[in-house]
Amino acid sequence: MYWVNGQLTDSISLSDRSFQYGDGCFTTMLTVNGVISHWDKHIQRMEACLDALQISLPDWNMVEKWLEKAAYSQGKAGLKLHISRGEGGRGYSPTQVTSPNVTISAFHFPAHYEKWCREGVNLGICHKRLGINPMLAGHKHNNRLEQILMKADIEQQGYSDGIALDCEGHVVETTMANVFWCRDGKLYTPTLTKTGVAGVMRRVVLEQASKKGLLVCEGEYTLSDLLTADEVFITNSILGVAPVTAIAEQRYAIGHITKTIQETPSCD
């Protein structure tokens, strides 16, 4: 069951523009005993995408109440908040559309994430490439076809996740997480001005790294820049921070900086 505009239901209109065109955005949030982690940052992220899509903002106080109703009350779990432009409109035109639809669903915490955070994860390298799209770069809009194709590609290779490059050969992210790496005491992560998704946990890590006095370098990096790292980790809101112990044949130790970031209260 889902919550749609605060009502418990198992259906939504076929004329909803998210179904028709992927016209909207979403975010996934960690809950701990029913409490949302980093709710303020999820609002900021959603507002940035809604503004880019020119979709009116919801009443966040009301949305928060709906989320509280939907959340699992015990332990770690997840919530997905999905906002579409609404229903109707002729073709691609966003005119003559009803008010936005807010859809909420709860899900159980993925059991394997605890193991990933403790022991690390092995990544492959996606054969398919992300397109360049500065207009939507950084935003988690509802059209995720590239990620679906990349996920299928990496699973066919026998991996749970993999490094995604753009069509210019730059490292962007994984199919489901942002990526960081360390070399000579510096922290590196791809800039996301051309493609990719700027996750909430990525923002948390960047803030915490700055507080800890780590030099953070955001830029365009090739696969060789990543593969020659001293240590690597990935982040997303549900997973938190998980060390990477291998990318294809390249092995990595779980390093000091990764452990330090992991142990920061706002990152666990």
Side-chain angles (χ1 to χ4, degrees):
M1 298 291 285
Y2 293 79
W3 295 82
V4 178
N5 300 326
Q7 301 298 314
L8 197 59
T9 182
D10 60 0
S11 63
I12 194 166
S13 172
L14 291 176
S15 65
D16 184 272
R17 290 180 63 87
S18 185
F19 171 76
Q20 294 288 338
Y21 308 111
D23 190 2
C25 59
F26 71 101
T27 192
T28 52
M29 299 162 282
L30 176 70
T31 60
V32 181
N33 298 326
V35 178
I36 300 169
S37 298
H38 306 300
W39 171 230
D40 59 333
K41 288 182 171 59
H42 284 283
I43 291 176
Q44 292 164 11
R45 165 206 226 164
M46 290 291 283
E47 285 189 347
C49 191
L50 291 168
D51 286 346
L53 298 176
Q54 299 180 15
I55 295 175
S56 59
L57 303 181
D59 178 339
W60 291 116
N61 289 328
M62 184 64 70
V63 171
E64 186 174 15
K65 291 178 181 177
W66 294 343
L67 288 164
E68 289 171 352
K69 287 182 181 179
Y72 293 141
S73 61
Q74 300 296 320
K76 285 186 175 181
L79 284 171
K80 180 178 180 181
L81 171 61
H82 171 289
I83 299 179
S84 77
R85 189 179 303 275
E87 301 167 20
R90 175 68 184 94
Y92 292 137
S93 174
T95 60
Q96 300 180 1
V97 177
T98 63
S99 58
N101 281 326
V102 178
T103 305
I104 295 167
S105 56
F107 56 93
H108 294 290
F109 187 81
H112 62 284
Y113 276 11
E114 296 285 5
K115 183 177 181 180
W116 281 14
C117 290
R118 185 176 62 253
E119 301 178 10
V121 57
N122 294 345
L123 303 178
I125 300 169
C126 298
H127 296 145
K128 298 183 183 298
R129 300 290 181 93
L130 291 167
I132 303 299
N133 187 358
M135 184 166 58
L136 295 176
H139 299 304
K140 201 167 187 178
H141 54 80
N142 287 345
N143 189 326
R144 311 314 305 165
L145 289 176
E146 289 181 317
Q147 284 71 24
I148 289 169
L149 294 173
M150 286 185 153
K151 192 69 168 181
D153 166 23
I154 208 67
E155 288 178 344
Q156 288 168 6
Q157 294 184 47
Y159 295 96
S160 298
D161 196 13
I163 297 296
L165 308 178
D166 65 24
C167 59
E168 295 177 342
H170 297 118
V171 174
V172 179
E173 56 198 4
T174 78
T175 67
M176 48 155 276
N178 291 119
V179 61
F180 292 81
W181 62 93
C182 310
R183 186 187 303 111
D184 299 328
K186 298 177 183 178
L187 186 62
Y188 294 82
T189 196
T191 187
L192 300 174
T193 56
K194 292 183 177 179
T195 188
V197 175
V200 164
M201 188 53 61
R202 176 182 185 271
R203 180 174 172 181
V204 171
V205 167
L206 290 174
E207 289 178 356
Q208 291 303 317
S210 178
K211 289 179 181 178
K212 293 177 184 298
L214 285 171
L215 178 59
V216 179
C217 304
E218 292 185 66
E220 293 185 336
Y221 301 107
T222 64
L223 188 58
S224 62
D225 293 320
L226 173 58
L227 294 179
T228 55
D230 299 322
E231 51 185 291
V232 182
F233 62 88
I234 60 173
T235 66
N236 73 31
S237 291
I238 307 299
L239 175 65
V241 177
V244 172
T245 50
I247 300 176
E249 302 303 318
Q250 182 65 44
R251 301 286 171 178
Y252 304 94
I254 301 176
H256 171 71
I257 293 177
T258 300
K259 291 178 181 177
T260 298
I261 296 292
Q262 268 191 315
E263 293 166 2
T264 302
S266 59
C267 295
D268 59 11

